[in-house]
Amino acid sequence: MQTIDQAGSFRLGDRTVKRLGYGAMQLAGPGVFGPPRDRDAALAVLREAVGAGVDHIDTSDFYGPHVTNQIIREALHPYPDDLTIVTKVGAVRGEDGSWNPAQDAASLTAAVHDNLRNLGLDVLDVVNMRFMGGGDGHGPAEGPIEPQLAALAALKDQGLIRNIGLSNVTALQVEKARDVVQIVCVQNQYNLAYRDDDAMIDALAADGIAYVPFFPLGGFSPLQSQTLSDVAASFSATPMQVALAWLLQRSPNILLIPGTSSISHLRENLAAAGLNLPAEAVTALDDIG
């Protein structure tokens, strides 16, 4: 019988979580803004995920805003003792759905309290400091990190945060951050076709720090996508399952948080835990990047 336990587990701060988790971003409305089209379906997906053994959920109060955290609370509170909820701060949503930086100490403090209130928690397991980066905001850019991390460290000292992570950062920023506060995870864009963080992943693994890739399937050229599809077909699997399996085999410190608002898609994603790619398939996939 296949279970997500087959993917193994890894340390996330003071918790140990299964390496295949769930990202709640898609539970909000279109553009991660406003309520979902079907709230009951969103509740059902969360309950299905936890019922299947997921013990790591990634979220943020700026998803919606507030919507996703409120749905998580409605679906799962009181939370199982082994459930780790990871959230992030560093942005607010405009009335037009825009993503706007909110990185001063007052804004970060307010964001932590918003997450606590809407999730129904007294303390947050992990808070990722999400830097806005350059361009479309999905890629990291060098810039100051110490003021933001000092603000989160103060909230940790108050007992409102257990662990601190980083999101959308460069290797240099990770190095600097570790001089300010203990970092338990890094959440950056990484997938088969986008591998700028190869060296970072290996360095973090050596230090026992988790790496959490977002956009696990994206940025492919048609030729690259065809390669992935061909490998998937050879295993009677979906391209997403193969992309997730490749990430699981890439490094033991990688934690996955694929998101969906569909129970059938959730089950498909979780089944990737039981997909073992042989060496020749890994080589073909490695050539994509």
Side-chain angles (χ1 to χ4, degrees), residues 59-75:
T59 185
S60 175
D61 208 62
F62 54 66
Y63 294 164
H66 316 306
V67 171
T68 297
N69 281 352
Q70 291 169 356
I71 291 173
I72 291 171
R73 179 176 183 173
E74 182 178 347

Side-chain angles (χ1 to χ4, degrees), residues 10-11 19 200-206 208-213 248 250-255:
F10 194 78
R11 209 62 193 159
R19 293 182 61 214
M200 182 193 294
I201 290 171
D202 295 336
L204 293 174
I209 298 173
Y211 182 92
V212 188
L248 288 170
R250 167 62 181 83
S251 182
N253 67 322
I254 288 181
L255 301 178

Side-chain angles (χ1 to χ4, degrees), residues 135-214:
D136 61 4
H138 294 316
E142 299 294 357
I145 60 165
E146 290 85 353
Q148 297 93 325
L149 293 177
L152 292 187
L155 294 168
K156 183 179 180 182
D157 289 342
Q158 294 174 33
L160 300 180
I161 299 172
R162 287 196 179 94
N163 302 282
I164 296 172
L166 304 170
S167 180
N168 206 38
V169 286
T170 68
L172 180 58
Q173 287 172 324
V174 174
E175 181 181 342
K176 290 181 177 179
R178 295 180 67 186
D179 290 335
V180 178
V181 67
Q182 181 183 12
I183 298 299
V184 303
C185 60
V186 174
Q187 187 179 101
N188 272 9
Q189 181 177 359
Y190 183 82
N191 57 44
L192 272 165
Y194 187 90
R195 301 192 203 167
D196 286 5
D197 280 357
D198 271 330
M200 182 193 294
I201 290 171
D202 295 336
L204 293 174
D207 289 340
I209 298 173
Y211 182 92
V212 188
F214 60 76

Side-chain angles (χ1 to χ4, degrees), residues 226-241:
Q226 187 59 53
T227 300
L228 175 60
S229 296
D230 290 345
V231 172
S234 71
F235 291 100
S236 299
T238 67
M240 184 63 168
Q241 286 174 323

Side-chain angles (χ1 to χ4, degrees), residues 4-11 16-22 53-56 210-213 244-258 270 273:
I4 65 170
D5 293 337
Q6 292 171 280
S9 60
F10 194 78
R11 209 62 193 159
T16 297
V17 299
K18 296 170 187 174
R19 293 182 61 214
L20 196 47
Y22 174 75
V54 167
D55 60 6
H56 170 204
Y211 182 92
V212 188
L244 294 176
W246 179 87
L247 285 166
L248 288 170
Q249 291 182 218
R250 167 62 181 83
S251 182
N253 67 322
I254 288 181
L255 301 178
L256 300 185
I257 49 167
L270 297 183

